[in-house]
Amino acid sequence: MSDKMDFNELNEIHIDMLKEIGNIGAGNATTALSQLINKKIDMGVPKVNILEFKDLSEILGGAENPVVGILLNVEGQINGMMMFVLQQSSAHNLVNLLMGRDLDDFTEFTEMDLSALNEIGNIIAGAYLSSLSSLTELKIIASVPYMAMDMAGAILSVPAIEFGKVGDKALLIQTDFGKGKEEVKGYFILIPEMESYNIILNTLGIMG
Amino acid sequence: MINMAETIKVGMADLKTCMAPNILTTLGLGSCVGIVLYDPLKKISGLAHIMLPDSTQIRNNDNKAKFADTAIDVLINEMVNMGAKKDRLVAKLAGGAQMFAFSSTNDLMRIGERNVEASKRILNQLGIKILSEDTGANYGRTIEFYSENGDLLIKTIGKDSKII
């Protein structure tokens, strides 16, 4: 394999590696979240999906479905973006758990809720990035989190465009927290620049 | 026989053409731009959902519907093959939002704006008049183009729909 790879050439080993990073990252994120709401949280095994752009928003309930996206720019030895996406219903569950409110409370988010969500996103994304950083021993610096609530297609267009520069597919890691009524489905999208992608794979000894 | 209008969906980095009375739609446009071309006489229309401004800047540029420059070319060719006349084509634009309120103003963050700029520049170069646009701002848009009358319907979350 050449030392420059195309995103479309991701193989089973790469996917397993990303799954493992996803697993550890999600584990750290769950612990952080659990401490925040002072309650035990179950976590499912992360699912790694490589999707065509046109199918990307389907997984989040369709292009027009309202979602919350929290985005961080990543710098250091790896450059790119990291996004944490939640369906609006999951965002409500998360805020209600955090605020100790009734789980059926679907009233509009207050300023306080939004700021809490932003912080949760920051913690979760941070936990994920620190796993990546310690696994690869690469220095990774994350920007402040930026949050937006809108149609899934519109929110996902931002990472999709970044993926679009290097290929025609996007990589999505799904993590489920909690269960039943408390279930929160979260999606991580990590978009390293192509060069950084090679750095990550090289550091992990996957590419020769 | 009554000709029922069919709604044709255009995905991200995708393009489609159709004739009246059919409707072209793309859902949840964010920083991408929806470029509509229309021959008002023959009622032939085309819609591209582009993600990036310029195919020449990207190594992986096989998907022509992904870039403003190549997508417009493909749309024109397909529409001319269907009987449209290039001189008669007009355009409408939507999308190109900045979904996140980044404090930095580097190019990576201004992608919506750059997509709109590139689309306009290419249309101008081709002499295709832009009749109307709903671009920029910070929200997602679903658009529907009606080949029958050339209306472009714009839907957003929490705001009234409008026709441009």
Side-chain angles (χ1 to χ4, degrees):
Chain A
M1 195 191 287
S2 69
D3 60 342
K4 290 264 170 169
M5 65 165 286
D6 193 280
F7 202 74
N8 295 332
E9 293 165 15
L10 271 182
N11 62 29
E12 282 297 313
I13 301 168
H14 302 146
I15 294 169
D16 280 349
M17 183 267 303
L18 289 161
K19 213 181 259 183
E20 189 53 27
I21 293 173
N23 218 343
I24 296 167
N28 285 349
T30 308
T31 309
L33 199 59
S34 164
Q35 282 164 356
L36 200 68
I37 61 175
N38 199 18
K39 198 171 169 179
K40 192 175 163 288
I41 299 176
D42 295 309
M43 189 195 87
V45 178
K47 295 183 202 96
V48 177
N49 294 299
I50 294 173
L51 301 163
E52 302 267 343
F53 292 139
K54 60 179 170 55
D55 304 324
L56 192 57
S57 47
E58 291 310 314
I59 212 161
L60 282 150
E64 291 185 291
N65 194 38
V67 301
V68 178
I70 294 148
L71 189 143
L72 295 92
N73 288 310
V74 178
E75 283 172 10
Q77 286 173 284
I78 297 175
N79 291 300
M81 266 180 198
M82 153 104 207
M83 195 183 225
F84 180 62
V85 197
L86 290 164
Q87 299 226 26
Q88 210 161 43
S89 55
S90 279
H92 271 287
N93 280 351
L94 206 51
V95 169
N96 289 342
L97 278 172
L98 188 70
M99 300 294 188
R101 279 200 301 250
D102 185 0
L103 279 168
D104 296 322
D105 191 343
F106 276 84
T107 48
E108 231 175 272
F109 292 123
T110 61
E111 279 296 314
M112 177 88 132
D113 295 345
L114 292 177
S115 129
L117 258 182
N118 201 18
E119 191 46 34
I120 291 170
N122 198 21
I123 290 169
I124 290 173
Y128 184 96
L129 285 174
S130 69
S131 314
L132 183 61
S133 176
S134 47
L135 267 179
T136 56
E137 293 179 1
L138 292 170
K139 193 173 163 195
I140 302 173
I141 305 157
S143 74
V144 293
Y146 300 98
M147 187 171 68
M149 251 189 278
D150 212 306
M151 302 179 191
I155 296 288
L156 292 170
S157 75
V158 179
I161 285 170
E162 285 311 301
F163 276 117
K165 292 175 182 170
V166 293
D168 287 304
K169 292 191 173 93
L171 186 135
L172 199 73
I173 299 165
Q174 180 189 333
T175 313
D176 300 343
F177 307 102
K179 54 185 169 192
K181 263 172 90 176
E182 297 181 358
E183 190 177 54
V184 173
K185 275 189 165 65
Y187 300 85
F188 295 99
I189 307 177
L190 179 70
I191 312 110
E193 285 175 1
M194 213 58 234
E195 211 167 297
S196 303
Y197 208 85
N198 291 319
I199 294 173
I200 297 173
L201 295 177
N202 276 322
T203 318
L204 293 169
I206 286 166
M207 297 170 67
Chain B
M1 198 180 107
I2 300 165
N3 210 350
M4 289 288 286
E6 191 191 333
T7 300
I8 301 160
K9 223 172 172 180
V10 179
M12 201 181 267
D14 184 17
L15 61 82
K16 297 273 166 61
T17 51
C18 76
M19 300 182 84
N22 293 341
I23 299 158
L24 289 165
T25 185
T26 195
L27 313 177
L29 270 170
S31 296
C32 301
V33 173
I35 304 171
V36 175
L37 293 185
Y38 184 52
D39 178 339
L41 189 74
K42 290 287 182 73
K43 298 186 176 180
I44 294 170
S45 53
L47 170 61
H49 181 149
I50 63 108
M51 301 174 77
L52 289 159
D54 188 353
S55 64
T56 63
Q57 302 295 314
I58 306 287
R59 195 163 55 105
N60 182 339
N61 59 8
D62 295 342
N63 182 357
K64 298 202 175 343
K66 196 156 80 176
F67 307 94
D69 54 346
T70 43
I72 291 173
D73 281 349
V74 175
L75 274 187
I76 294 174
N77 282 339
E78 281 192 18
M79 290 170 71
V80 166
N81 284 339
M82 290 163 75
K85 207 158 171 262
K86 199 179 161 188
D87 302 347
R88 269 200 306 262
L89 295 183
V90 288
K92 292 190 177 187
L93 297 178
Q98 183 174 333
M99 298 307 300
F100 292 86
F102 297 118
S103 47
S104 108
T105 52
N106 74 37
D107 269 2
L108 185 79
M109 306 308 148
R110 293 177 48 245
I111 189 70
E113 205 181 318
R114 286 175 51 220
N115 279 333
V116 174
E117 281 166 9
S119 305
K120 285 184 180 173
R121 191 180 58 246
I122 296 156
L123 291 169
N124 276 333
Q125 279 164 2
L126 293 165
I128 297 173
K129 194 177 172 200
I130 300 164
L131 293 185
S132 58
E133 62 172 299
D134 180 42
T135 55
N138 63 348
Y139 48 83
R141 298 165 171 93
T142 282
I143 63 172
E144 289 173 13
F145 186 74
Y146 294 82
S147 304
E148 194 54 53
N149 58 9
D151 280 353
L152 182 63
L153 176 73
I154 316 253
K155 295 191 277 189
T156 47
I157 289 182
K159 291 186 187 66
D160 290 336
S161 302
K162 60 178 170 184
I163 289 170
I164 65 161

